Amino acid sequence: MRHRKGSPQANFSITLGPGGMSAEIFSPVTLPCSGRTMTNKLAKVALYEHLAKMYGGPPNKYHMGLYTEWAKHDWGMIVTGNIQVSREHLTLGRDTVVPEVLNEETLAPFKKLARIIHAKDPRGPSTRPLAIMQLSHAGRQSPNFIGGRRLGVPPVAPSPVRLGSNNRVRSRDGVMSLDTQDTPHPYFCALFQQPREMNLHDIKQVQQAFIRGVLTALEAGFDGIQLHCAHGYLLSQFLNPKSNVRRDEYSVESQNALRMVREIVEGIRAIVPKDFVIGVKINSADYVETGEKPSDERVLEETQRVLDHIRTIALWGMVDFIEISGGDYESPDFISAKAASPRQAFFAQFAKKARECLRTNFPGGANVPLILLTGGLRSPAHLQGALDAAILQERILNAAVSGTSIALDDEPFAHEPDGDIQLPSWVPQIPLVGVGVGVAWYNVRMRRIAASQLGKWVDDTTLPTFRMTGIEVMAKIVDLTEEDIAELDDIDKIRACYPSWTGWGGLGFPDCRLSSVFERLVIHSTGNTLGAEGLLNHCLFPPVVPTTIVNMPATTFITLNTGAIMPTVGLGTWKSKPGQVEHAVEFALKNGYRHIDTAAGYQNETEVGQGIKASGVPREQIFLTTKLDNPDQRNPTAALESSLKKLDTPYIDLWLMHWPAPMTQDGKADKGHDWLDTWKAMEDLYVAYPEKLKAIGVSNFSVEYLERLLKVARVIPAANQIELHPSCPQHDVVEFCQKKGILLTAYSPLGSDNSPLLKNEVVNRIATKYGISPANVLISLQANKPLHTVLPKSVTNERILSNAKIVDLTEEDIKDLREIDKTHHFRACHPAWTGFGGLGFPDCK
C-alpha cells in the first residue's frame, strides 16, 4: 500500500472472512455471493469528497483526477464516496448525485469514473480493483440551505424526530414510543429542520431511487454497489431507536428493523447479474452516546442489537460484504481521529464480536459475507486490536528486529490533522463543528490531489503544506469555482423574507408578485419528480414472511425494466364468478396484497374497481394490471378509456396485449389485422399518455412471437404473462425473457382448477418438509425464480390469505420440481382456441 507524499491518507479497510486471517492480507479473496475476486484484502472505502458542483451533479474532472491517483495504489476494492440517490437530500451541497434520467449522456461521466477505477486510464497501472458505487440518502441529516430543497421544505425520515433532540425510546407493553424530546442545540435547530415522517408512498419512492442508483452503477460498468446504512443517514435511521419510533411494518422492532434494507437488496438481486457485488455499510456506534464506554450496560445491550442486524443480513444470503463503521452527527466524538477516542475503544471490541458472530451456527454451504473493518485503523496497534493479526510487512519486520510487539506500535501510518486545525478560542464550542473542521481538512487535501493530477500544481514548491488552521480549512472548503458561481446565478431566486407579511403585497418586487409566490407554494407542496416516468410507479408489497437461509431466496417485489416496482405475489381474477370479485379484491387489499390482475376479457373490471375503492387502500399504493381484449385490437384507444372508466382509476400500472390474436367482435379470428399494428398503437398511447399508462407489455407470447415483436418494437415489453407451473415450465420463453430484461408473470401457477399437481408426490413431499400446503409450494416456486411474479387466484378469504405465504426453496427442491414436466406435461390454456393455431409454442404445434 503506497501513499502519495503530501497527500492525506486514504481511508482504508481490511476485508476478512468469518474465520479471520493471519498474514494473508495481500492474497486474493473471493466474494461469497457474486463470486468476484479481490486481488488483495485491502479496500479504499468511501470518503466524503465534496467535489461535485454546488447542489449536486455527476462526477467531474476533479473526481477523475482523484481516482486516477487512488487507482495507482493496488487496492483490492475501491468504493466511491457516497453518491446520493435523491437530489433533494444532499449533505454539504457538493454531493455526487444519481442522474434522474438514464441515457448515454448522463451515464458518460459515471462510465469514465468506472474505467479510471479499473485502471484502464492510460495514466494508470494494469491492476484492476473492483469498482463499487456507494449509494446513500441523507434523510433527516440533510441540512437547510445546502441540502437541495427549497426553504421551508423538510427532509424525510422514518419518524419526525429532530436531529440532536436526544430522545429516548421506551417500551410500554412491547410497543416502541417517543419520549419527550429534548431541545436540540441551537446549532442543530438552525441547520436541521424537524423531518417529515415518511408514509408508505415515500418509502417505496426512496426504494425506487436506490434501484435507479443500482441501474446507474450497472450500466456504467461498476462491479457492484454498497448501501450506506451507517453514519446516521436514512437507511440507518430505520435501524436506530433514536430516530425510528414507527409502529407499522417499518418499525425498529427486531422483526421489522431491517425490512427497508432487505426490500432494497431483494429488488437489486432481482435485476442484476449474479456476479454483481452487493455490500452493506452498517454502524457499530449508531446507538452509543457521547461519553459512554463499551462496558456500560446500555452499550452492551445496543451492541447486541447491531450484531443481530449483522447476523440477519448475513442470513439473507444475498450480500457479499458488510462494512463496519461508526459515528453520526449526534455523537461527533465517534467520528474523531484521536487515538484515545471512545470510538477507537468501541471499534476494537466490536470488530472481534462481529467476527465471532459470523463464525458460528451458520447453515452448511451458506454464503457468509465478508467483514470489512473500517475507520480507526491508523496505526499497527489499532490494526492489532481489531484483528489480532499482523498487517503491514515493513512494520512487522521492524518490530521483529527491535524485539518489540506490533501491538505497541502506535505511530500513525500518515500525518493526522488533529493537532494542526485547532479552532480559535473565540469560536463557540458547538457539537460537530470541530469534527466538521477535521473532515473539511481531508476534503481540501483531496481536492488538491485531484488538482495536481489535472496539472494545476506543477511545481512542488507551490503545493500547500499539511498545516492549516481551522479557519483556513473552513475558508478553503467553501471556495467557489467559476462554474459554481455561474450555476448559482441560474438557480431560481428564493427569498427568506417575503414582503407580503406587511399586508402591502409584493411592495413592487418583481419576484414577489402573487403569481410568483403561488408558483413557489405549489412547488413546495408537490416537490420535484424523480425523472424517468417508470420510476414514479408507486406500490406496496405483501409483508415479508420469515424464512430460512437458502440459495435461491424468494422475493417480495420485482423491478420492471421501466424502473417501477411490482409486488411478487398478486391476486388473479381469471374465472372468478360475477358477484365474488369485489369482495375478493377488497379482502386481499385489506390483508396485505398490493398487486391486482384483471383483464377486459374477464368482464370483471368494474367489480375490481369497486373492490379497490371499498378496501380504503390509496390507489398509489396498488399495482394494477389489466389487458387489452382480442376483439379490441383494432381500436386500443377506446379500449384503454373503457378500462380506465370501468376500473374507476386515473391510470393503469401495466397494460398487456392479452394474446397476439386479433378477433372480431363476435369472437372469430381477425386475420385481416396484424397484431404488430396493435402493439405500435399501444406504444403510441404509452408515449402520449404517461399519466394514464405506466408500463405496457404482452401476454401469452412465445419466443417466436417475441422475436417478431422485438424486431419492430420501440418500447421493449415490460412483462410477458404466461402459464407457468411444473407441468408447463416453458423454459425457452423464460430464458429468452430473462436475457431481454422482460419480467415474467405466472398465471395458473397451480395448473388451474383441480390440478393433478396438488396431488403430485414431489410437491407434497416438499410441502410436508416446510409445513405448508402443496399450493404454497407451487406459488413459492415462481417467487423463487429471478424476474418472476405470480398470480394465484381465489375468491375465498382463507385461500387468499394462504396463497400469500411464500417460502424459500432450496436448489434441490427446485431441481426436483423441474423433473415433473418430463413425465407429466400439460397446459391449462391451449392457444388453439384463438383460431391462430399454436402461436409458436413448441408444445402446441
Side-chain angles (χ1 to χ4, degrees):
M1 182 171 59
R2 304 186 295 274
H3 294 290
R4 179 181 177 275
K5 182 179 179 182
S7 69
Q9 172 191 353
N11 191 12
F12 72 90
S13 300
I14 291 111
T15 310
L16 62 153
M21 56 173 45
S22 283
E24 299 182 359
I25 297 298
F26 300 99
S27 61
V29 61
T30 300
L31 300 178
C33 294
S34 64
R36 300 297 294 272
T37 299
M38 293 172 58
T39 56
N40 59 59
K41 300 180 179 71
L42 292 173
K44 196 295 292 180
V45 293
L47 293 164
Y48 180 68
E49 295 156 358
H50 202 70
L51 293 174
K53 68 179 183 179
M54 200 63 183
Y55 295 111
N60 56 33
K61 59 186 178 182
Y62 294 102
H63 293 91
M64 308 308 168
L66 181 61
Y67 281 88
T68 294
E69 175 64 32
W70 277 338
K72 297 176 182 177
H73 297 286
D74 305 330
W75 301 100
M77 176 191 293
I78 292 180
V79 185
T80 68
N82 46 353
I83 294 179
Q84 303 298 338
V85 300
S86 170
R87 190 179 291 273
E88 290 77 40
H89 289 82
L90 308 179
T91 54
L92 295 177
R94 289 179 178 269
D95 297 5
T96 307
V97 181
V98 171
E100 295 177 349
V101 177
L102 305 186
N103 54 41
E104 285 301 316
E105 180 181 358
T106 59
L107 288 172
F110 292 92
K111 289 182 177 181
K112 184 175 182 180
L113 183 60
R115 289 196 301 269
I116 288 176
I117 294 175
H118 286 146
K120 292 182 178 180
D121 187 273
R123 294 169 289 179
S126 59
T127 55
R128 183 183 171 95
L130 294 179
I132 306 298
M133 180 185 290
Q134 186 185 84
L135 299 175
S136 179
H137 188 298
R140 68 173 185 165
Q141 287 186 177
S142 178
N144 297 323
F145 314 113
I146 57 175
R149 299 173 309 284
R150 292 173 177 267
L151 290 178
V153 178
V156 298
S159 300
V161 180
R162 184 191 287 271
L163 190 69
S165 60
N166 297 317
N167 70 290
R168 289 291 184 273
V169 174
R170 59 173 176 254
S171 179
R172 300 187 183 95
D173 300 326
V175 177
M176 304 306 292
S177 61
L178 177 64
D179 281 345
T180 302
Q181 298 187 49
D182 299 336
T183 302
H185 191 286
Y187 169 81
F188 284 110
C189 291
L191 274 188
F192 302 98
Q193 292 188 59
Q194 179 169 337
R196 175 176 63 82
E197 180 173 271
M198 299 172 69
N199 57 35
L200 296 176
H201 166 83
D202 297 322
I203 288 173
K204 300 311 169 187
Q205 191 174 52
V206 166
Q207 290 177 335
Q208 291 171 18
F210 274 98
I211 295 297
R212 179 160 45 90
V214 172
L215 292 173
T216 301
L218 182 64
E219 293 297 320
F222 281 81
D223 301 298
I225 60 93
Q226 181 189 49
L227 298 177
H228 197 336
C229 304
H231 298 175
Y233 291 135
L234 182 67
L235 295 184
S236 72
Q237 291 163 25
F238 277 90
L239 309 180
N240 194 335
K242 290 194 302 183
S243 52
N244 185 356
V245 293
R246 302 175 71 96
R247 298 186 181 183
D248 61 4
E249 63 265 39
Y250 293 96
S251 72
V252 80
E253 299 293 340
S254 58
Q255 70 271 23
N256 292 327
L258 284 164
R259 185 185 300 275
M260 179 71 164
V261 180
R262 169 153 184 163
E263 289 180 345
I264 294 173
V265 171
E266 288 176 337
I268 296 170
R269 279 290 174 218
I271 64 171
V272 298
K274 181 175 175 55
D275 64 353
F276 192 81
V277 178
I278 297 179
V280 171
K281 183 171 185 174
I282 198 167
N283 213 336
S284 62
D286 251 347
Y287 315 144
V288 182
E289 301 293 338
T290 300
E292 292 183 323
K293 300 177 181 178
S295 58
D296 292 349
E297 182 178 353
R298 201 193 75 83
V299 175
L300 291 174
E301 179 182 343
E302 298 301 343
T303 298
Q304 187 58 50
R305 182 197 298 271
V306 188
L307 291 173
D308 289 343
H309 288 168
I310 290 174
R311 181 172 174 79
T312 299
I313 292 171
L315 283 169
W316 295 344
M318 295 184 285
V319 174
D320 286 290
F321 67 91
I322 301 174
E323 179 183 347
I324 299 175
S325 183
D328 61 25
Y329 286 4
E330 291 182 300
S331 301
D333 61 328
F334 281 88
I335 309 175
S336 172
K338 295 178 181 178
S341 74
R343 181 180 187 273
Q344 299 288 352
F346 184 83
F347 178 82
Q349 291 198 16
F350 189 86
K352 294 178 183 178
K353 291 181 179 179
R355 293 172 60 202
E356 294 168 359
C357 171
L358 297 187
R359 258 199 205 115
T360 57
N361 301 324
F362 266 76
N367 293 326
V368 181
L370 304 183
I371 291 293
L372 193 64
L373 302 181
T374 302
L377 305 177
R378 290 175 168 82
S379 73
H382 295 147
L383 293 170
Q384 180 75 7
L387 295 177
D388 288 330
I391 303 299
L392 296 182
Q393 296 166 338
E394 182 178 354
R395 292 289 182 87
I396 296 168
L397 181 60
N398 291 340
V401 171
S402 62
T404 61
S405 169
I406 192 173
L408 302 177
D409 184 354
D410 58 0
E411 179 186 349
F413 296 126
H415 181 86
E416 294 288 352
D418 297 67
D420 302 333
I421 55 175
Q422 299 288 338
L423 286 169
S425 58
W426 51 266
V427 175
Q429 297 299 308
I430 299 174
L432 185 61
V433 168
V435 173
V437 173
V439 172
W441 184 92
Y442 282 104
N443 293 147
V444 173
R445 296 302 307 170
M446 283 187 283
R447 191 185 302 177
R448 288 173 174 172
I449 292 176
S452 70
Q453 290 293 315
L454 298 172
K456 289 195 173 183
W457 285 304
V458 180
D459 183 358
D460 281 344
T461 61
T462 65
L463 275 169
T465 65
F466 276 100
R467 301 187 180 278
M468 292 179 282
T469 68
I471 296 299
E472 287 175 326
V473 168
M474 298 309 288
K476 291 291 184 183
I477 197 65
V478 297
D479 279 350
L480 296 179
T481 65
E482 292 180 3
E483 295 95 327
D484 290 329
I485 294 171
E487 191 79 25
L488 289 169
D489 283 341
D490 289 337
I491 293 177
D492 183 29
K493 306 299 186 297
I494 301 173
R495 282 180 176 262
C497 183
Y498 279 97
S500 56
W501 71 273
T502 63
W504 295 91
L507 292 179
F509 292 104
D511 61 327
C512 296
R513 296 190 183 101
L514 180 61
S515 59
S516 298
V517 177
F518 179 76
E519 180 182 4
R520 289 184 178 84
L521 290 175
V522 171
I523 295 173
H524 283 194
S525 64
T526 60
N528 296 323
T529 66
L530 287 175
E533 181 67 29
L535 292 170
L536 296 178
N537 292 324
H538 311 304
C539 53
L540 294 177
F541 318 112
V544 176
V545 178
T547 56
T548 55
I549 178 68
V550 292
N551 293 321
M552 298 186 67
T555 60
T556 54
F557 61 87
I558 297 293
T559 303
L560 298 174
N561 57 19
T562 62
I565 298 175
M566 182 179 186
T568 301
V569 179
L571 177 71
T573 60
W574 180 36
K575 291 186 177 180
S576 297
K577 296 179 180 179
Q580 297 179 330
V581 176
E582 178 182 350
H583 168 77
V585 171
E586 177 186 357
F587 182 82
L589 290 173
K590 285 182 175 179
N591 286 276
Y593 281 77
R594 292 297 183 268
H595 174 188
I596 305 296
D597 181 271
T598 184
Y602 301 166
Q603 298 183 359
N604 61 17
E605 286 179 315
T606 299
E607 281 195 62
V608 169
Q610 292 168 345
I612 291 174
K613 292 288 184 183
S615 73
V617 176
R619 172 63 184 89
E620 65 271 14
Q621 297 179 7
I622 301 168
F623 193 98
L624 179 61
T625 300
T626 192
K627 307 174 190 72
L628 173 68
D629 201 9
N630 297 337
D632 296 328
Q633 289 206 22
R634 285 183 179 267
N635 193 356
T637 302
L640 173 62
E641 293 301 325
S642 174
S643 289
L644 290 169
K645 183 177 180 180
K646 289 178 179 178
L647 290 165
D648 193 15
T649 181
Y651 65 92
I652 293 168
D653 293 285
L654 179 60
W655 194 38
L656 306 178
M657 184 190 299
H658 206 153
W659 292 84
M663 292 184 178
T664 61
Q665 292 300 317
D666 58 0
K668 296 180 181 178
D670 184 2
K671 298 188 177 181
H673 181 73
D674 190 342
W675 59 266
L676 285 173
D677 292 331
T678 302
W679 178 255
K680 293 174 184 177
M682 292 176 66
E683 290 178 321
D684 291 339
L685 290 169
Y686 173 69
V687 172
Y689 301 104
E691 74 282 4
K692 296 181 180 180
L693 279 179
K694 303 303 181 181
I696 57 174
V698 297
S699 181
N700 298 296
F701 269 57
S702 64
V703 172
E704 176 185 327
Y705 277 59
L706 286 169
E707 287 177 336
R708 288 176 56 190
L709 175 64
L710 294 182
K711 287 179 180 179
V712 299
R714 292 172 291 151
V715 178
I716 303 299
N720 183 18
Q721 187 177 128
I722 59 175
E723 180 177 344
L724 283 175
H725 49 75
S727 288
C728 187
Q730 304 209 61
H731 298 307
D732 59 332
V733 181
V734 170
E735 182 179 354
F736 183 88
C737 288
Q738 289 180 336
K739 286 181 179 179
K740 301 298 182 181
I742 301 171
L743 176 139
L744 288 146
T745 296
Y747 72 75
S748 297
L750 311 186
S752 202
D753 303 329
N754 302 314
S755 170
L757 289 172
L758 297 175
K759 299 179 181 179
N760 183 275
E761 179 183 353
V762 174
V763 174
N764 279 269
R765 173 170 52 79
I766 295 174
T768 302
K769 173 182 175 181
Y770 293 103
I772 57 177
S773 71
N776 291 135
V777 172
L778 296 170
I779 297 166
S780 296
L781 172 63
Q782 306 305 326
N784 274 255
K785 296 177 183 179
L787 213 60
H788 277 62
T789 59
V790 57
L791 298 172
K793 61 183 181 66
S794 180
V795 293
T796 62
N797 294 354
E798 182 179 355
R799 283 191 57 190
I800 289 173
L801 293 176
S802 175
N803 287 343
K805 296 178 181 178
I806 303 300
V807 299
D808 293 342
L809 301 176
T810 65
E811 290 182 2
E812 183 179 355
D813 295 331
I814 293 174
K815 181 181 178 181
D816 290 345
L817 291 168
R818 286 171 64 102
E819 294 294 313
I820 294 175
D821 180 57
K822 295 181 179 179
T823 55
H824 298 85
H825 178 87
F826 68 86
R827 275 182 178 265
C829 186
H830 198 286
W833 74 272
T834 64
F836 285 87
L839 292 179
F841 291 104
D843 61 327
C844 297
K845 293 178 180 177

